[in-house]
Amino acid sequence: MKQVLFIAFILLVTSPVQKVMAQIETKKQVTVLNHIAVYVADLAKATAFYKSVLNLQEIPEPFKDNRHTWFTLGSAGQLHLIQGAKVGNEHDKNEHLCFSVASVEDFVKNLDAKKVHYEDWPGKASTITNRVDGVKQIYFKDPDGHWLEINDAK
C-alpha cells in the first residue's frame, strides 16, 4: 500500500513539472517589431505629411540633431523618419507601409481635402480596391515617393 501511495505522490508531483518543462522546451523566443525607419530627403516636409495626412503622434527622439522624427505606432512600435535621402529615388508599390483605419471612405475625404493623389492597386486614380477577402484599400505616396497603403482590415 505504501508503494502505491508513493507512486501516486510521485506522479502528482512530477506530472505538472513535466508539463511546465515541456512548455519551456517548446517555447520559442518571439520577435516583435520595434520600429520602421524611412529615409527622407526633406525631414520637415515628411514630418508634416505624416502628422497631417496619417495623423501620427510625434514622440521624443534621443538624438536632438534635427535629422530624426519619431512617431508612435501604438503597440506596433514606432516609425522613424531620418533626413539624408537623395531626391528622386523610385520606389516600387510592392514595397510599402500599410496602416489600417476604421473607414477607408472617411480617410479618402481627408486625402481629397489635402489634394493628395491616391489610387487602387492597378493604379486607377481616386479608386478604392476591394480585395477578394472584403478588405478595402488605397495607395498613395509620401513626399519622398514611398508607397503607403491604407486599408480597413480588422
Side-chain angles (χ1 to χ4, degrees), residues 36-43 45-47 49-50 53-54 79-99 111 116-119 121 138-150:
I36 298 166
V38 176
Y39 209 33
V40 299
D42 184 331
L43 184 63
K45 189 174 182 179
T47 297
F49 178 87
Y50 281 87
V53 174
L54 293 176
L79 174 65
H80 298 175
L81 301 181
I82 304 170
Q83 172 84 35
K86 293 181 177 138
V87 178
N89 290 334
E90 284 292 318
H91 302 281
D92 191 280
K93 192 187 275 188
N94 283 298
E95 186 178 323
H96 60 268
L97 299 178
C98 180
F99 299 90
L111 293 180
V116 175
H117 169 85
Y118 67 93
E119 59 191 48
W121 177 253
I138 59 167
Y139 295 85
F140 59 98
K141 293 181 180 183
D142 76 0
D144 287 88
H146 298 283
W147 283 98
L148 303 170
E149 174 187 343
I150 299 293

Side-chain angles (χ1 to χ4, degrees), residues 16-71:
V17 171
Q18 288 172 338
K19 285 181 184 176
V20 169
M21 292 305 291
Q23 289 173 348
I24 290 171
E25 289 174 6
T26 60
K27 198 174 201 177
K28 294 180 181 176
Q29 182 177 354
V30 176
T31 303
V32 296
L33 179 66
N34 178 272
H35 72 272
I36 298 166
V38 176
Y39 209 33
V40 299
D42 184 331
L43 184 63
K45 189 174 182 179
T47 297
F49 178 87
Y50 281 87
K51 277 185 179 180
S52 69
V53 174
L54 293 176
N55 200 28
L56 295 182
Q57 180 184 350
E58 191 173 346
I59 58 174
E61 54 86 8
F63 304 105
K64 311 286 187 246
D65 60 2
N66 297 317
R67 294 191 63 236
H68 297 82
T69 300
W70 287 13
F71 295 100

